[in-house]
């Protein structure tokens, strides 16, 4: 332990030996303990110190305990969440991640509880949200860390139901406007399944279980009569966008292509923006283990960062981890469904729910052998259920990190990924010996007779044959190109056999990946500064491709049709969506509010179908523009040109209404801004102070490496990189990071919003690792002693 005077000294029951927390001036806590049990105890204690309201809300949401604090308006969400809890063998669960998982989670939960005990003794420490809502933090059990699954990203159950509805109303070609299928396969409806019988209502339970917690005055005031009016807490479009826009970038560059000769690793996961941030930077140090990076505050360990020997980062990989099953029920006995040569009973389970202001309520949960029941229609003798890897031991989100984060080399890291269940990810890794690697990981069901793109019968004819062995998922060590980059694109090896088991067929658009790989290919002396710039890169490939078509259309038709000043505005643009760019504002308004809707209207004339396609598959839409077919009309190229010019003129007028008549004063960041909205902000009184952070003007879009997805209604940024890491492998103190809006979730903390301006401006802060550097930048020192 470093011998300096502590700003605070705390005596904690459950701590075995002295430990310390050093918070640097950017809010990053550096935790040091004399043994690993104390270390994870301190991690839980410190997470609660900074994020207790967030931890408590996540736990209650995941376990289905919200109604006890917030009333009947949350009972339907509790009911939904309970369907997706892990209910299997806990011995198998504990052994799935690492040999000491149970001990780690026990220490972590004990640490959280120690801070709750401290708050009871010193109420001034309790976050303001508890007094505002009149609630109290609940104590954690070790199994709470692993049983909750619904905050993880899996796919593609919702997509299967959407596809079934689109195919009922239109055709497979129309569904490609929503998401293309790679590798391509011909869709085949399984015998015994009628797609018209699969309603969008079958999505409701899943949507509700995975939705964030929202607070509205009407919801908080709901009575028991209103319980089932609060089942649509999120729009269908939110589910579609979450699938298509929450991803990540990462890359690793071999020392042969860097200016220092050391590898560089960069990772910036993209998720929904909120305050506090989804991620939490932390440094964990005990004898034999010294790791720094980020994870989710509700989980022990880190999932991105380094351990002094190896660095690691991740992005989402498009493995298909869900299937929708359709069952025939027995005539007159709707609780029995056909399975193989007989009938099985739906397992119905009563559970008790506490409800604020009311007596406890008892609700029924329903499961088939494959998973939770999503929908029942006795008239059609139909039941629909979801099978997910969530129900298997070892699929708590990111808990595979408990093995991976302790790997001393790229080779050992790859071996550790046998323990990685969810989410399915692209890992990049680099070690101090100069090795770099890419490993895909995640439980990937083996489907022997279908591709996982449409609902299938639950009668036993379509069963998973286990999971693909981790070693059979794509991976590369020391790639010939000298670097490897991923951005959620389709990156299955080109030489993978078409007869090999399905891994996945739905991926993010390729724009970000192509841009990142292009920049890295051209850079033979890469640096950490270059990696930071690339993480913030706002080059838009769609802008370049569409503007090239526009120039050709103007050449054929003349600029007069779109007005000279509009054409002149776009001429010579570098296709960068910077926050201060007036042309970026015009392009994004044109592309997303006028040209894209015009394409949907042309190719999907049914409004009900169009509602299921938004935001659309960018690669498919761009291909339609570049290669117009008969669906544009005859002649197709002329019809396409007319659409380009007319929608651009409309977009110019739209920008004038939104931003004023002087185009030189337009700016993308005026429309496109990040507001980090506190969950309670819609019901909070001003007297408690401002809990939202922003708005902050930002550049980029969903198609740029610096991803900044936005709501189509008003351009507010909803998802992107909250945390960014750039790691100099071997010279650890020369690594950089940023989190936003700040490290702390307590509005009273100086670290609640202190990183937001830096983040929006593309700045980073040091990711300090050595004791000497940390001591020099310590802003707050907490000494922890056994009680």
């Amino acid at each position: 332990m470093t011998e300096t005077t502590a700003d605070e000294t705390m005596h904690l029951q459950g701590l075995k030996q002295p430990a310390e927390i050093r918070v640097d001036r950017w809010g990053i806590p550096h935790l040091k303990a004399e043994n690993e049990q104390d270390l994870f105890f301190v991690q839980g204690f410190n997470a609660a110190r900074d994020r207790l309201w967030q931890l408590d809300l996540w736990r209650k949401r995941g376990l289905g305990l919200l109604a006890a604090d917030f009333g009947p308006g949350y009972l339907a969400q509790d009911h939904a969440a309970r369907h997706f809890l892990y209910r299997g063998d806990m011995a198998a669960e504990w052994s799935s991640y690492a040999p000491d998982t149970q001990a780690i989670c026990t220490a972590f939960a004990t640490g959280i509880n120690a801070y709750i005990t401290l708050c009871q003794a010193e109420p001034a420490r309790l976050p303001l949200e508890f007094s505002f809502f009149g609630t109290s933090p609940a104590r954690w059990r070790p199994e709470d860390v692993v049983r909750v699954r619904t905050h993880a990203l899996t796919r593609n159950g919702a997509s299967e139901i959407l596809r079934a509805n689109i195919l009922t109303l239109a055709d497979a070609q129309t569904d490609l406007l929503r998401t293309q299928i790679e590798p391509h396969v011909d869709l085949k409806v399984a015998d015994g399944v009628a797609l018209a019988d699969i309603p969008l209502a079958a999505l409701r339970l899943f949507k509700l279980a995975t939705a964030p917690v929202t607070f509205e005055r009407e919801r908080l005031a709901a009575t028991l009569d209103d319980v089932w009016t609060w089942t649509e807490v999120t729009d269908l479009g939110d589910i579609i966008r979450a699938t298509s826009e929450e991803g990540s970038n990462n890359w690793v560059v071999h020392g042969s292509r860097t200016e220092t000769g050391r590898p560089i690793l960069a990772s910036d996961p993209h998720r929904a923006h909120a305050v506090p941030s989804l991620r939490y930077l932390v440094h964990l140090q005990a004898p034999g283990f010294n790791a720094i990076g980020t994870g989710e505050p509700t989980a022990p360990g880190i999932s991105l960062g380094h351990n002094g020997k190896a660095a690691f980062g991740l992005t989402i990989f498009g493995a298909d981890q869900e299937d929708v099953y359709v069952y025939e029920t027995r005539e007159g006995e709707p609780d029995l469904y056909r399975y193989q040569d007989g009938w099985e009973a739906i397992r119905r389970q009563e559970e008790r729910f506490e409800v604020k202001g009311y007596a406890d309520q008892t609700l029924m949960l329903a499961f088939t052998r494959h998973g939770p029941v999503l929908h029942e229609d006795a008239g059609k003798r139909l039941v629909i259920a979801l099978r997910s890897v969530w129900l298997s031991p070892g699929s708590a989100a990111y808990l595979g990190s408990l093995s991976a984060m302790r790997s001393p080399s790229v080779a050992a890291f790859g071996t550790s990924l046998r323990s990685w269940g969810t989410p399915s990810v692209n890992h990049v890794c680099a070690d101090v010996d100069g090795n770099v690697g890419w490993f895909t990981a995640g439980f990937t069901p083996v489907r022997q007779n279908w591709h996982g793109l449409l609902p299938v019968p639950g009668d036993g004819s379509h069963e998973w044959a286990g999971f693909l062995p981790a070693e059979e998922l794509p991976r590369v060590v020391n790639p010939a190109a000298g670097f490897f980059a991923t951005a959620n694109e389709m990156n299955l090896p080109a030489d993978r056999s078409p007869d090999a088991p399905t891994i996945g067929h739905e991926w993010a658009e390729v724009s970000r990946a192509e841009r990142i790989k292009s920049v890295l290919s051209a850079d033979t002396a890469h640096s950490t500064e270059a990696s930071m710039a690339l993480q913030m890169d706002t080059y838009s490939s769609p802008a370049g491709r569409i503007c090239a078509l526009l120039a050709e259309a103007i050449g054929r038709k003349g600029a007069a049709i779109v007005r000279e000043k509009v054409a002149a505005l776009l001429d010579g643009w570098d296709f960068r969506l910077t926050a201060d760019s007036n042309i970026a504002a015009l392009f994004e308004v044109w592309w997303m509010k006028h040209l894209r809707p015009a394409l949907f209207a042309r190719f999907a004339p049914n409004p009900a179908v169009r509602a299921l396609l938004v935001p659309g598959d960018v690669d498919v839409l761009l291909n339609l523009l570049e290669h117009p077919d008969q669906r544009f009309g005859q002649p197709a190229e002329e019809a396409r040109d007319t659409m380009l010019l007319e929608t651009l003129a409309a977009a110019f007028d739209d920008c004038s209404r939104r931003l004023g008549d002087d185009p030189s004063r337009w700016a993308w960041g005026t429309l496109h801004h990040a507001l980090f909205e506190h969950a309670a902000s819609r019901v909070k009184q001003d007297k408690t102070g401002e809990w939202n952070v922003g708005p902050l003007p930002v550049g980029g879009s969903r198609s740029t490496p610096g991803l900044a997805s936005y709501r189509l209604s008003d351009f507010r940024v909803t998802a992107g990189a909250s945390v960014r890491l750039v790691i100099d492998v071997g010279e650890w103190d020369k690594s950089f990071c940023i989190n936003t809006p700040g490290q702390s979730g307590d509005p009273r903390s100086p670290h609640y919003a202190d990183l937001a301006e830096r983040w929006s401006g593309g700045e980073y802060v040091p990711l300090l690792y050595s004791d000497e550097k940390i001591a020099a930048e310590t802003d707050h020192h907490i000494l922890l002693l056994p009680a």
Side-chain angles (χ1 to χ4, degrees), residues 392-416:
S392 303
S395 53
Y398 302 103
L399 256 290
S401 298
L402 294 183
S403 289
M405 70 180 185
R406 293 184 271 193
S407 301
S409 66
V410 167
F413 187 85
T415 301
S416 77

Side-chain angles (χ1 to χ4, degrees), residues 76 79-81 83-84 201-210 372-374:
H79 177 251
H83 281 83
F84 294 93
L203 279 170
R204 183 177 292 126
L205 192 80
F206 178 77
K207 286 166 49 183
L208 195 54
T210 55
V373 171
L374 302 179

Side-chain angles (χ1 to χ4, degrees), residues 135 271 600 621 640:
T135 62
R271 295 291 295 274
F600 282 148
L621 296 175
R640 187 270 320 273

